[in-house]
Every structure is written in C-alpha cells, then in structure tokens.
Amino acid sequence: MATDLAAVVLDVDPDEVTVHVTLRPPGDVMERWSQARADLERAQELSAKGAAESRAIVAELSKDFTITEVARMLGISTQRVSQLKAKKANEA
C-alpha cells in the first residue's frame, strides 16, 4: 500500500518506488527491554555465585562431618550433598 501511495503521489510507476520501513517499539519498551536483560544477567551471576558458595560450604563441612550429618545441618537430602560434592570434585 505504501508503494502504491508513493507511486500515485510522485506520479511514477510502482516498480520505480522502494519503500523502507523502520519499526520502533512504542513508549519506553526498549528501556524496559534493556532493564529486563540486565536483570537476567545479574540473576545468572547471582545464581552462579550461590551455586559456588553452596559447593564450597558442602566441601568445607564434608571435611569434618558425614554426608548424612551435612544433609541434616543444611536441610537437604544426602543425594544433594553428594551432587554438590561431585560438582566440586569435577571442577577441580
């Protein structure tokens, strides 16, 4: 439709008209989008930090306590303690 309108207004053949469309989001959408992306990046950083600290705590406690004792202290399953210990060992 834009091509046809331009051709009529300019009195040229529609094949001679090229229309370029630029889409822009309304209002503050791009600012909100940027903030959402920054929030997600920060959340990933915090998640990685929390995971690393969890592994460090389990490793530290495992030096002096059994897996069962560590699980009871932290309120997690013995399987989760084992997983956290294994991840620490795999990363070293």
Side-chain angles (χ1 to χ4, degrees):
M1 288 174 43
T3 301
D4 291 337
L5 176 62
V8 169
V9 170
L10 298 172
D11 193 28
V12 297
D13 187 270
D15 292 335
E16 296 176 34
V17 176
T18 302
V19 176
H20 299 279
V21 178
T22 302
L23 296 174
R24 291 189 181 100
D28 66 344
V29 169
M30 287 311 295
E31 181 180 325
R32 290 173 42 220
W33 178 255
S34 294
Q35 184 60 53
R37 303 311 304 164
D39 290 347
L40 286 171
E41 185 175 316
R42 180 71 176 133
Q44 289 173 344
E45 290 170 1
L46 288 172
S47 179
K49 181 180 176 183
E53 185 65 9
S54 295
R55 290 187 302 271
I57 290 167
V58 166
E60 182 179 326
L61 291 173
S62 294
K63 292 176 186 175
D64 298 317
F65 300 97
T66 67
I67 289 176
T68 302
E69 292 168 334
V70 172
R72 285 184 185 159
M73 280 188 263
L74 298 178
I76 58 177
S77 69
T78 55
Q79 292 84 358
R80 186 64 185 138
V81 172
S82 295
Q83 289 171 343
L84 290 168
K85 284 179 67 172
K87 286 183 181 180
K88 183 69 175 179
N90 288 340
E91 291 173 359

